[in-house]
Amino acid sequence: MDRGQQDRQVVAACQDPRTEELRGATAQLRRRLAAHRAEFPDRAVAEDELAAIGAMAREGAPDQRRLRRSLLLVAASLGSVSAFAAELARLRAAVELFGTGAGG
């Protein structure tokens, strides 16, 4: 992919309010996770999947199946930590803006 294609994808992503909400929700949860000093077993999984969601959001229209898979892994990793409930709910709502996808 050349630089022009990348620039067009970034502009398209910025024009889609769903993508903007996904980026915002992901960034908010990543910041909250970074500020949370307590360790838990699946923290690295959550961090990796949030990075993947962030990358998908930057690239434009994310693959719905991959997006939902990442959300599921983040939720499984953080779901028992009540401190993340609001941010996780926002991320879930942002993912749902993209629909269920084919077969999802």
Side-chain angles (χ1 to χ4, degrees):
M1 176 181 314
D2 68 15
R3 180 70 177 155
Q5 286 175 314
Q6 290 174 339
D7 289 343
R8 283 188 295 279
Q9 283 185 335
V10 169
V11 168
C14 291
Q15 293 174 346
D16 186 345
R18 300 174 307 163
T19 304
E20 286 300 305
E21 178 57 22
L22 181 61
R23 290 175 68 191
T26 302
Q28 180 184 30
L29 184 50
R30 289 180 84 180
R31 284 190 305 270
R32 182 84 165 120
L33 182 57
H36 191 77
R37 295 296 174 204
E39 286 299 319
F40 46 92
D42 294 327
R43 182 184 195 117
V45 172
E47 290 170 344
D48 290 347
E49 292 305 318
L50 286 169
I53 292 171
M56 285 186 273
R58 283 189 303 276
E59 292 171 2
D63 176 83
Q64 293 173 356
R65 287 184 183 192
R66 176 68 175 111
L67 191 58
R68 288 189 173 282
R69 179 185 177 278
S70 290
L71 173 63
L72 184 61
L73 289 169
V74 170
S77 301
L78 301 180
S80 65
V81 183
S82 61
F84 301 119
E87 291 85 359
L88 194 53
R90 180 180 177 199
L91 182 62
R92 179 178 178 231
V95 168
E96 288 177 354
L97 292 173
F98 290 91
T100 59

